[in-house]
Every structure is written in structure tokens, then in C-alpha cells.
Amino acid sequence: MGRRRPGTPTLEEVAAHARVGRGTVSRVINNATGVKESTRRAVQRAIDELGYVPNLAARSLAGRGADAVALVMTEPDWRQFAEPFFSEIVTSLGDALTDTGMQLLLTLVRSDAERQRFLEYARGGRVDGVLLMSVHAGDPLPDMLAEARLPTVLLGRRSGDEYVSYVDMDNVGGARSAVSHLVQRGRRVIATITGPLDLHAAQCRLRGYEEALALAGMKVERTRVAESDFTAESGRRAMTELLERHPDIDGVLAASDTTAAGALEALRAAGRRVPEDVAVIGFDDFPLARRTEPQLTTVRQPIEEVGRAMIRLLLEEMEEGAVAWRHVILRTELVIREST
């Protein structure tokens, strides 16, 4: 293995020398699958040059992190986990990991204490990488993981200035195409039900709504905007408020299919026909969109591709180290059905 330098080289030093993640070194030491041959050679070269000699205890410790990825949900409201988006994403990530031999570990992190506890857990080598979803503006967890040099990929962004690797959808373009469709169908009093506005995705969908109205020469009125938390109940409540403010509303963009389903219930309760009186568009294109009455026109998000892209980016970071942040934005598609 070569002469050892003064002091005992650590697993982290080997990882830094080879320009890979700590988990990749663990996998090479333990002869785990899923490591490119060029990466394996780079790690072995670093081990030789530094004189790193893992003993059985060290190999056991390193092995704890082999072949495991943590999916961290940071949403503080437990109700959100009942929404279709979460189950669809978990399924797509699991499918994307099928051929890698790695396990997907689900954990909830919703407080400062839980953030610190998870950071210590991850730094202890128990996972090779971290996937984060539902990260709200100002959440420090991605920064904590980046400073610890743990391979990390976000679903979405905290802001337009995000630097940690992420996969996101074209939320602005998707919302813009939806509202433009309403304008083309002759709708003139168009409202929107946003998601939580401390989520960058919700901000982007609001921006797309505003851009589409501006392109059509229509005035943006803040009283035609109501916030929700992506649940059906919040969609019912927001739609009821919008009708009270603007009884002449004839078009609505909702920030999720679940929210749109709630809006449909409120419109039905108010005696409004869809789409004759009010056209409604959702966002996601989950199976729910085909079960509503009428079926929802919606903005389709490529959920399967989201899972594949997140796993691809994470594996690249695990094998190659933090050479550069990777940002992927996927296209959306307007799916037209009965509600418009």
C-alpha cells in the first residue's frame, strides 16, 4: 500500500485526494458495485499515495454508508405527505435506483435539532448521498450538507440563486402556457391559486401567470391571487375567497391538481359550471386529474424523468466529487381536457 505519511490518513483525506465523495471511497474499499472503473482506479491511487490502510473496524464503519441514499423531506406540515406529489416522486426515485443496488432511506427533517441530528448521521458514513425535496426558502440544510461535502441533489430550488445541484421543472413556462390557453379560449377575468409562496416553484408559477397576462395586454390584479398549501381544502377555501372578491371570474389556474380539485368543489357549491362559466387548469397531471368531474386540463410534470435525473446527478457527484454544481430544468407540457 506504500509508505504511510506521518499521522493516520482519514477516509475524508482519501476522498479529497481522489476528488470523489466519502461514500465512493467506502464503496471502493468494500468492493461495492456501481463504481466506474476509472473512479475505482483514482481512489486506489489515492489510497496508495497516502498510505491509507483500512483495518477491519474502519472497513466496517465505512461499509455502513455503502449502497444507501437518504431521501429527506423537509415539509413541516404532515398533511403534505398525503398529497400525490410525494408518493409519485418517491416511486420515481425508487424506480431510478432499481438497477444500482442502492437502498432508498426516507427521513423527515423539520427542525434545527433534526437538521443537526441528520447531518451527524450522514457525516457518519451511513449514507452515500442525499436527496432533498420540499425545501422552503431560507432552509439551511442544503448549505450544511454542502459544507460537509456530502453529495446532495435538491428537487426544486430555494431561490433563483441556488448553487447546490438540483432538478427542477419549467414552472414559469408551464404556468405561462396554461394562462395563455385560457386567454385563447376567450377568458378575460383570470385568477390563480398559488402554492405556498415561500416555495420557489410556487413563486415561479405565479410569475408565469403574470407574464401570460402581460403578454395578452391584461392587467395583473393582486386581488385575483389567492395562496394555498397544495391541499384540496386550501383550494376550496381559496376559490371561495376569489369568487367573493370577483364574482365574474371566468378562468382559474391552480398550482396543483389537488388544489384544482378543491376549486372545482367550491365552484360546484357556488352553482358555477365548468367549463361553461369558469375554466379551470391544474398543475402536475397526476391520475387525480382524470378522476375529477370534469376531467382537468393540467400542466404535466415529467415525474419519471425527475427521478432519473436526480439519481443521475447524485451518482455523478458521488463518483466524481464536487467538481461543479449541476442544474437541470425539465420541460412541462399542457394537457388539454374537459375543464377548459
Side-chain angles (χ1 to χ4, degrees):
M1 299 289 287
R3 269 188 82 176
R4 299 187 65 166
R5 63 178 184 169
T8 303
T10 65
L11 203 67
E12 287 77 10
E13 288 173 321
V14 174
H17 196 71
R19 298 178 66 84
V20 300
R22 184 188 191 281
T24 299
V25 177
S26 298
R27 296 170 74 193
V28 171
I29 291 172
N30 288 278
N31 294 317
T33 60
V35 179
K36 291 191 299 188
E37 187 56 36
S38 60
T39 302
R40 192 180 295 276
R41 287 196 300 269
V43 171
Q44 190 59 56
R45 186 164 54 249
I47 288 173
D48 293 342
E49 292 174 357
L50 295 179
Y52 178 77
V53 183
N55 58 30
L56 292 177
R59 290 172 73 96
S60 175
L61 178 61
R64 277 194 250 164
D67 300 328
V69 171
L71 172 59
V72 181
M73 294 184 173
T74 61
E75 179 57 57
D77 190 340
W78 281 82
R79 292 177 303 168
Q80 298 299 323
F81 302 121
E83 298 304 313
F85 182 78
F86 289 93
S87 60
E88 294 281 344
I89 287 294
V90 171
T91 299
S92 73
L93 291 170
D95 290 345
L97 280 172
T98 298
D99 296 330
T100 69
M102 303 185 75
Q103 296 294 318
L104 186 65
L105 308 179
L106 176 62
T107 186
L108 308 180
V109 174
R110 298 153 298 166
S111 67
D112 289 340
E114 289 178 348
R115 288 185 189 93
Q116 190 59 44
R117 188 158 57 245
F118 174 74
L119 180 65
E120 293 170 1
Y121 176 86
R123 291 181 66 179
R126 294 177 175 87
V127 295
D128 296 330
V130 180
L131 301 166
L132 289 172
M133 63 186 296
S134 191
V135 182
H136 292 249
D139 192 326
L141 184 56
D143 304 316
M144 295 164 69
L145 294 169
E147 290 170 6
R149 300 185 64 183
L150 289 162
T152 302
V153 176
L154 308 183
L155 172 55
R157 293 169 273 176
R158 290 170 294 176
S159 73
D161 298 324
E162 185 64 74
Y163 62 90
V164 177
S165 294
Y166 65 76
V167 175
D168 204 355
M169 269 68 67
D170 180 12
N171 289 294
V172 174
R176 188 170 55 231
S177 66
V179 176
S180 295
H181 174 69
L182 291 174
V183 172
Q184 292 165 8
R185 291 298 175 96
R187 308 298 168 157
R188 291 295 175 265
V189 185
I190 302 172
T192 187
I193 301 173
T194 73
L197 290 174
D198 62 343
L199 284 176
H200 187 63
Q203 298 169 19
C204 287
R205 291 172 195 178
L206 175 58
R207 194 169 91 219
Y209 161 83
E210 294 171 341
E211 288 182 4
L213 292 181
L215 286 171
M218 300 168 68
K219 185 178 179 182
V220 176
E221 295 189 20
R222 305 309 299 178
T223 54
R224 294 180 186 172
V225 177
E227 188 173 352
S228 79
D229 59 11
F230 289 133
T231 63
E233 177 55 38
S234 66
R236 284 191 290 270
R237 184 172 59 251
M239 190 71 249
T240 300
E241 293 173 1
L242 288 169
L243 287 172
E244 290 173 353
R245 297 179 204 160
H246 296 279
D248 55 345
I249 283 175
D250 59 8
V252 178
L253 169 64
S256 75
D257 290 344
T258 308
T259 305
L264 289 175
E265 293 180 13
L267 288 167
R268 190 177 302 114
R272 307 298 174 89
R273 299 169 300 165
V274 177
E276 292 86 354
D277 300 325
V278 183
V280 178
I281 298 181
F283 213 108
D284 290 324
D285 194 30
F286 292 144
L288 171 65
R290 293 181 290 278
R291 294 199 301 266
T292 59
E293 180 59 43
Q295 292 187 350
L296 273 173
T297 292
T298 186
V299 179
R300 175 179 293 159
Q301 301 192 79
I303 298 299
E304 289 185 9
E305 180 56 30
V306 168
R308 288 193 294 268
M310 290 183 72
I311 296 304
R312 183 176 67 251
L313 295 193
L314 189 65
L315 291 177
E316 288 174 359
E317 287 207 8
M318 287 163 53
E319 292 193 7
E320 301 170 14
V323 176
W325 305 116
R326 297 163 171 87
H327 299 158
V328 174
I329 299 179
L330 301 173
R331 294 179 182 272
T332 57
E333 175 189 0
L334 182 64
V335 180
I336 300 172
R337 297 195 181 96
E338 300 167 354
S339 66
T340 58

